Amino acid sequence: MECPYCTGPVEFLSSKQFYGKDYGTNVYVCYPCDAYVGTHGKGKTPLGTLANKPLRQLRMTAHSIFDPLWKGKFRKMGRNGAYRLMQKLMDLPPQKAHIAMFDEDQCRLLISKVKEYRGLQ
């Protein structure tokens, strides 16, 4: 895997090596770009794409706006329904409708569309 920011190689580390604590996962990291992504369990399959700090912050904001649709006190639909809505709002196939795969523009678009859907704008 190469870093999408600098095209350099990324390191593959255990969560213990990266965070100092074993979370039962691994991490791909590019230290010069401060970009990283975790993996599914102890495997090598990434949860999404490498993200630098600005993208990580946008993804967290996107989750904070999107997730109440399916969890928490504002829940309006189940998880599957919320992700079907995301697919429709973003015009994406199911395999691409994951915030962990979004770039900055996609995060901003999702935030805007979900705020509009929720009547927050």
Side-chain angles (χ1 to χ4, degrees), residues 57-67 99 107 110-111:
Q57 290 174 331
L58 271 170
R59 286 177 177 175
M60 286 187 282
T61 301
H63 270 292
S64 74
I65 298 296
F66 175 77
D67 289 356
I99 294 170
C107 287
L110 179 66
I111 291 164

Side-chain angles (χ1 to χ4, degrees), residues 1 12 26 28 37-40 43-50 100-101:
M1 177 184 291
F12 181 73
N26 296 306
Y28 288 98
V37 63
T39 65
H40 290 275
K44 291 192 171 193
T45 305
L47 290 167
T49 61
L50 253 67
M101 298 173 74

Side-chain angles (χ1 to χ4, degrees), residues 12 21 23 26 34 42 48 51 53 55 65 83 93 98 106:
F12 181 73
K21 183 175 178 181
Y23 291 101
N26 296 306
D34 185 30
K42 291 274 189 189
K53 188 171 184 172
L55 180 53
I65 298 296
Y83 277 85
H98 300 282
Q106 288 173 306

